[in-house]
Amino acid sequence: MPDNKQRRVLLTGGNTGIGYFTALELVKQGDHVTLACRNLDKANAAAQKIAAEAPEGTVDTAHLDLADLGSVRDFAESAPDAVDVLINNAGVMMPAKRTETKDGFELQFGTNHLGHFALTGHLLPKLRAAGNATVVTVSSVAHKQAPKLNFDDLQATRGYQPQRMYANSKLANLLFALELQRRLDKAGIPITSNAAHPGISETALYTSPDGLGSSKIASIGASIGLKFISQSAKAGALPTLYALESGGPASYSGPKSLFESRGAPGPAKISAKAQDAALADQLWIASEKLTGVVYDFG
């Protein structure tokens, strides 16, 4: 990565896991990174650690709850007038029971996709103001396991299945990233949108009480299994950094070894569903209606 970028970077969920190590590396390169997190105490503690280890750049924090569209709007309004990089990193994974966001969306779809959809839309004028900005959205290898989105029941009000909804939300992340690039290109706006996935990495997603950690049995099982198949969160951050620096428009990056579960970053495989432009357009229209956020490409 080149030194002394000095970009304004907004990163969601950077207080732990791959987000933390993504932020650390960017600050080491001289960027200014804002950790946008729901828990400000944890964010501030992470920022202090980053600042002590990486004096080359700067870091601060801001409150952002992606499960609350009002919080998303308030954060976007408080952001700098020009944003060079937006990294849609935060997420929740597989709560045992169906849970809703403040706005009544299923928690995984509402947080992982709709929250980031609304955030990016609110920030679009500030991304445009920076000139040649980049938006990286973090998806997952789980996107390949997603069934075709059920637009009659996007919020899983009937027959909630944790793994299915997580996979759906990660498919939505990838559909969104690619569709955003199509719409930016059509409007002639010089912003890069791409996506990345961390492979199988040891992160707090597996123990968070808002997700998999809501089931003690599942959380313990995942923790044991991860010791054998996962890579570190620091390694899991590399595809996001690769996507930002080398991925290019509409690209998808991830680990290259062991079926994209670990290893050095590079181009990753996109499922046929994620490449479906008609499906992406349908999701975009539905997302605008659900969030009330309409992108201004004019």
Side-chain angles (χ1 to χ4, degrees):
M1 291 172 59
D3 291 334
N4 300 316
K5 282 284 190 177
Q6 297 181 341
R7 298 167 295 194
R8 290 299 307 249
V9 180
L10 304 183
L11 186 148
T12 67
N15 62 285
T16 188
I18 65 171
Y20 173 84
F21 287 104
T22 300
L24 175 62
E25 291 306 313
L26 292 175
V27 176
K28 283 182 177 180
Q29 299 307 317
D31 289 328
H32 175 84
V33 178
T34 297
L35 307 180
C37 304
R38 184 180 59 177
N39 189 318
L40 268 181
D41 289 338
K42 291 182 179 180
N44 289 332
Q48 289 178 1
K49 288 175 60 180
I50 290 172
E53 187 173 345
E56 298 87 349
T58 51
V59 58
D60 64 8
T61 63
H63 179 260
L64 170 64
D65 184 353
L66 288 162
D68 178 354
L69 292 179
S71 174
V72 172
R73 182 186 61 250
D74 291 344
F75 169 77
E77 290 177 352
S78 69
D81 291 338
V83 175
D84 298 289
V85 177
L86 170 62
I87 301 178
N88 292 322
N89 165 81
V92 61
M93 183 176 73
M94 292 189 287
K97 296 182 179 180
R98 185 182 181 278
T99 308
E100 292 187 349
T101 69
K102 184 175 181 180
D103 303 281
F105 307 131
E106 187 277 323
L107 184 64
Q108 297 179 91
F109 189 76
T111 301
N112 299 352
H113 169 60
L114 292 176
H116 283 126
F117 178 90
L119 176 63
T120 308
H122 284 309
L123 288 173
L124 184 59
K126 297 182 177 185
L127 291 162
R128 294 180 68 173
N132 299 307
T134 300
V135 179
V136 180
T137 300
V138 178
S139 181
S140 168
V141 289
H143 91 270
K144 298 176 183 179
Q145 302 165 2
K148 195 160 186 175
L149 297 175
N150 179 8
F151 287 92
D152 292 327
D153 190 23
L154 280 175
Q155 309 308 327
T157 58
R158 303 185 297 271
Y160 171 75
Q161 297 176 1
Q163 169 63 23
R164 174 174 179 166
M165 285 309 295
Y166 179 69
N168 276 351
S169 73
K170 293 288 112 178
L171 172 60
N173 283 151
L174 190 47
L175 285 165
F176 161 68
L178 301 180
E179 179 64 15
L180 177 57
Q181 189 64 65
R182 292 187 194 101
R183 293 178 181 239
L184 290 167
D185 289 344
K186 185 176 180 180
I189 298 172
I191 293 175
T192 292
S193 171
N194 60 30
H197 76 84
I200 300 177
S201 301
E202 192 168 0
T203 75
L205 282 178
Y206 293 94
T207 56
S208 169
D210 295 321
L212 195 62
S214 62
S215 168
K216 289 185 178 180
I217 294 176
S219 182
I220 292 172
S223 297
I224 294 173
L226 284 172
K227 296 182 184 299
F228 297 98
I229 63 174
S230 69
Q231 61 182 358
S232 68
K234 184 175 182 180
L238 295 178
T240 300
L241 297 166
Y242 178 91
L244 175 59
E245 305 298 343
S246 306
S251 64
Y252 185 44
S253 305
K256 295 192 295 183
S257 301
L258 291 176
F259 305 101
E260 298 187 5
S261 67
R262 61 193 300 124
K269 294 180 180 178
I270 305 174
S271 70
K273 284 191 290 285
Q275 297 180 64
D276 187 337
L279 180 62
D281 182 66
Q282 189 176 7
L283 175 64
W284 189 282
I285 294 169
S287 301
E288 287 190 334
K289 289 180 179 178
L290 288 167
T291 63
V293 178
V294 178
Y295 283 52
D296 181 9
F297 292 101

